[in-house]
Amino acid sequence: MTSRPGNRVSGDGDSGGGDSGGGSPGTGASDPTAGPGQAGGLSYAAAGVDIEAGDRAVDLMRSSVASTARPEVMGGIGGFAGLFDAARLAAYRHPVLATSTDGVGTKVVIASRLGIYDTVGIDLVAMVADDLAACGAEPLFMTDYVVCGAIRPQRVAAIVSGVARGCAQAGCALLGGETAEHPGHFGPDDFDLAGAATGAVEADAILGASRVHPGDAVIAMASSGLQSNGYSLVREILRRAQLDLEQEPAELDRPLGEELLVPSRIYARDCLALAERCDVHAYAHITGGGLAGNLARVLPPGADAVLDRGTWQPPTIFGVLARAGAVPPAEMERVFNMGVGMTAVVSQSSTDEALGMLASRGVTAWVLGETVPGDGEARLTGSHPAAG
């Protein structure tokens, strides 16, 4: 395991061995057949863990991590913990800390198959930071966890560079992380990626169901495509339909694999800016569970959300996958975002201002529906416009 702020130095996450500024045992050449305790005995490297490769990965990622530093970040790579100056919270009247943890899911399998590693980190930040912003919290700092079957420094550095780019988009610091090598558990080409972030929000500015009531408008913000959910179904469709990631379907303007790796849009800064200017009552981050399932999470018992499919046309990739896998429309809507990555529930009087502000920030947005008296459910009505 390589050392970044907040890291232990070990091979598989179960023992500490110092920080990146010090020496690590078991890095020299050895005879794997020698008995324990003998000169040239069994080494960590012989067991499949290359600590020196981990150290090289840290060196390669230094500049990416440093680029995300906020003024509150204290120290640099190599400590046992990442430090963030909590005096930042003194600017709040009643600060509430928010935290979120998530992963990228099996989108990492597509990245491995294509050998493209510098985008899934953006997906990770989107999944974590946008969950914080959905309750009105500003993302302050994030840590990540990269686990590989074999540490390849360039690959690890590319993964973390994507996390750093995502943090820059979200406005949070990449405060620390771990890079683990798990030989025998993961194959040499396999990896996984997860992370956690902490944010802060004023107690009286927390967004959610308690602020929503019938008569609100529901605004949709366009997704970048599949984003980071439903990839187990995607991979099963690829397998059954024998689709080639390198080929370009007639309906798309790029190879299928490239389309599947488009990183998730990060809405955190847009959501925070919108809440500061407009009467926003709640946000729903549209991830696993689809549009209706996630929007229902921010509805009170006395309100439903009625959403009109006729207000948007889902991106082409959803149709490509649905046809290739013979996936029913209801299942598509239950699994995928279908082109809506975030929704905002706002007062009717703020609708025009909210749409104008989002447009000025380059976010495609539209009125998706409204809230009405009900039982806390979200439902889709009508049909999507025919593709032109």
Side-chain angles (χ1 to χ4, degrees):
M1 192 171 297
T2 67
S3 175
R4 290 183 268 150
N7 284 24
R8 299 183 306 276
V9 180
S10 66
D12 48 22
D14 58 5
S15 63
D19 63 23
S20 63
S24 299
T27 59
S30 65
D31 176 5
T33 64
Q38 300 179 20
L42 184 63
S43 71
Y44 222 173
V49 176
D50 188 343
I51 296 176
E52 291 177 341
D55 290 341
R56 289 196 298 274
V58 170
D59 288 337
L60 291 172
M61 69 179 71
R62 283 181 186 275
S63 61
S64 294
V65 175
S67 70
T68 72
R70 293 169 49 122
E72 301 90 348
V73 174
M74 303 171 68
I77 286 182
F80 282 93
L83 302 176
F84 190 90
D85 188 351
R88 169 75 171 79
L89 301 180
Y92 288 77
R93 301 184 311 278
H94 183 167
V96 173
L97 294 178
T99 185
S100 177
T101 302
D102 209 335
V104 181
T106 59
K107 189 171 186 174
V108 298
V109 177
I110 305 297
S112 289
R113 287 175 60 179
L114 292 173
I116 299 173
Y117 304 107
D118 62 349
T119 61
V120 288
I122 299 173
D123 292 290
L124 176 65
V125 179
M127 294 302 103
V128 176
D130 283 351
D131 277 358
L132 295 179
C135 69
E138 175 192 4
L140 299 176
F141 57 83
M142 180 167 179
T143 57
D144 65 55
Y145 179 75
V146 184
V147 58
C148 309
I151 287 183
R152 295 170 180 160
Q154 294 286 352
R155 176 176 66 172
V156 172
I159 294 168
V160 175
S161 74
V163 179
R165 286 162 57 200
C167 284
Q169 292 178 31
C172 65
L174 180 53
L175 195 59
E178 286 189 310
T179 305
E181 192 168 26
H182 288 189
H185 180 200
F186 282 73
D189 295 330
D190 298 333
F191 76 97
D192 203 1
L193 179 61
T198 298
V201 58
E202 293 283 7
D204 60 4
I206 297 173
L207 304 176
S210 63
R211 293 174 176 260
V212 176
H213 52 76
D216 289 339
V218 180
I219 291 176
M221 300 179 216
S223 72
S224 58
L226 292 174
Q227 307 232 121
S228 188
N229 299 103
Y231 276 79
S232 292
L233 177 56
V234 169
R235 291 184 302 109
E236 183 62 12
I237 292 170
L238 295 178
R239 186 188 70 81
R240 292 194 181 193
Q242 298 183 332
L243 298 179
D244 185 346
L245 294 176
E246 303 291 342
Q247 290 187 348
E248 183 175 309
E251 305 94 323
L252 299 177
D253 57 1
R254 53 185 158 194
L256 179 58
E258 185 178 332
E259 178 69 33
L260 295 179
L261 280 188
V262 171
S264 305
R265 175 157 193 145
I266 296 176
Y267 303 92
R269 284 182 162 173
D270 303 312
C271 289
L272 294 175
L274 192 65
E276 186 175 342
R277 286 267 306 271
C278 302
D279 186 16
V280 177
H281 296 166
Y283 289 114
H285 189 196
I286 312 305
T287 55
L291 180 53
N294 282 286
L295 187 53
R297 296 166 64 180
V298 296
L299 294 175
D304 284 356
V306 180
L307 314 174
D308 183 4
R309 295 185 185 92
T311 61
W312 89 101
Q313 176 64 51
T316 304
I317 183 60
F318 295 105
V320 170
L321 293 172
R323 288 188 291 274
V327 183
E331 183 69 2
M332 291 292 296
E333 291 183 340
R334 192 172 71 91
V335 175
F336 299 111
N337 68 67
M338 301 304 292
V340 179
M342 180 74 76
T343 59
V345 183
V346 306
S347 65
Q348 287 285 353
S349 61
S350 291
T351 303
D352 290 342
E353 183 181 11
L355 290 173
M357 185 173 180
L358 289 170
S360 72
R361 298 179 66 87
V363 180
T364 300
W366 64 95
V367 175
L368 178 62
E370 63 178 349
T371 57
V372 299
D375 302 311
E377 298 180 354
R379 58 182 185 272
L380 289 154
T381 64
S383 301
H384 295 297

